[in-house]
Amino acid sequence: MRSARRVSADGTAGPRVLVRSRLVTVHIDGGDLGCARLLVLLRDRARELPAGTVVHLTTSDPVAPVDLPAWCRLTGHEYLGPVPDGPPPATYAVRLAADPRATDPARPWHLAPGA
């Protein structure tokens, strides 16, 4: 958040107010990718996005509702759950952490050595 000075209609300065910047929601279509490839796709895309971004991930992977929360606990991202009106077959939301824990390049369900 940033602080801004409110100016009244007569031009005099009013009290400080907090202004929230709007964060973008990004959609990733995981199609029919299996768990490992889906997590690699999400991890790689997350690296390009600012902290706080909400990612909507659409996938037909039947274990996504189990794998995504577990991966979020591992990395520090926040699993927000299913998106009720998301595109079919199923869409899940993840809020990106400011300082996520790195995962192994070849095995995204394991922390990177030294992480």
Side-chain angles (χ1 to χ4, degrees):
M1 286 192 283
R2 62 184 172 81
S3 179
R5 181 62 83 177
R6 180 185 294 172
V7 178
S8 65
D10 66 1
T12 59
R16 284 196 165 294
V17 295
L18 294 176
V19 178
R20 288 190 185 269
S21 60
R22 294 181 61 99
L23 295 175
V24 176
T25 300
V26 173
H27 180 255
I28 298 173
D29 186 354
D32 61 354
L33 293 177
C35 170
R37 292 183 57 204
L38 187 64
L39 293 178
V40 168
L41 178 68
L42 176 57
R43 178 191 64 195
D44 292 349
R45 187 69 172 110
R47 287 182 184 145
E48 305 168 353
L49 299 169
T53 299
V54 174
V55 176
H56 285 182
L57 180 66
T58 300
T59 180
S60 61
D61 183 356
V63 295
V66 174
D67 288 343
L68 284 173
W71 184 80
C72 286
R73 283 190 302 275
L74 175 76
T75 59
H77 297 297
E78 181 183 1
Y79 178 70
L80 301 175
V83 177
D85 297 327
T91 301
Y92 306 93
V94 172
R95 184 182 327 275
L96 302 181
D99 193 21
R101 290 180 293 281
T103 59
D104 185 292
R107 301 177 314 161
W109 56 93
H110 291 279
L111 288 177

